[in-house]
């Protein structure tokens, strides 16, 4: 897994890392290759940020774990990322995908 972050936001990769808070190599969620693929697939920094946050939320959706002295609680971290997802959608002007249905009345039914 390749990790780079210079902090000057000169590249789209740095910008995506900045917006999702994935700037520490020791605790990185996404590799450079994954972010590059997200940028290509989504077509924009904003889209890659949203997709990256959604990926992190999925990773944090694993059940909590407790064994003797060790406890892993993902619920708090997940809640923070869900809030960040809403904020980043607003920041980049990308609405959540929604569906709507139109019910049509037919007089012959």
């Amino acid at each position: 897994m390749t990790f780079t972050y210079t902090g000057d936001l000169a590249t789209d990769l740095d910008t995506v890392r900045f917006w999702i808070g994935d700037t520490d190599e020791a605790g990185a969620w996404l590799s450079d290759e994954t972010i590059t693929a997200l940028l290509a697939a989504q077509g924009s920094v904003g889209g890659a940020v949203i997709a990256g946050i959604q990926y992190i939320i999925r990773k944090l959706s694993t059940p909590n774990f407790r064994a003797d002295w060790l406890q892993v609680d993902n619920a708090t971290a997940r809640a923070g990322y869900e809030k960040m997802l809403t904020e980043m959608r607003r920041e980049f002007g990308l609405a959540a995908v929604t569906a709507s249905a139109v019910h049509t009345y037919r007089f012959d039914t």
Side-chain angles (χ1 to χ4, degrees), residues 104-109:
T104 305
Y105 171 76
R106 288 183 44 179
F107 69 94
D108 62 341
T109 58

Side-chain angles (χ1 to χ4, degrees), residues 5-90:
Y5 179 72
T6 59
D8 61 7
L9 308 183
T11 66
D12 287 346
L13 187 134
D14 266 10
T15 305
V16 170
R17 282 201 186 281
F18 171 79
W19 282 109
I20 64 175
D22 195 23
T23 58
D24 180 19
E25 184 173 8
W29 287 99
L30 302 169
S31 67
D32 288 354
E33 295 81 8
T34 301
I35 293 174
T36 301
L38 289 175
L39 285 164
Q42 300 299 320
S44 69
V45 168
V49 168
I50 299 304
I53 293 170
Q54 289 172 329
Y55 168 79
I56 293 168
I57 289 171
R58 282 191 299 276
K59 289 300 229 178
L60 291 172
S61 294
T62 58
N64 294 337
F65 176 76
R66 182 181 200 132
D68 296 329
W69 54 269
L70 175 65
Q71 180 175 345
V72 178
D73 180 13
N74 292 330
T76 304
R78 180 186 161 116
Y81 275 102
E82 286 174 342
K83 181 178 178 188
M84 183 192 310
L85 178 62
T86 301
E87 291 171 2
M88 291 301 105
R89 280 190 172 132
R90 190 176 9 216

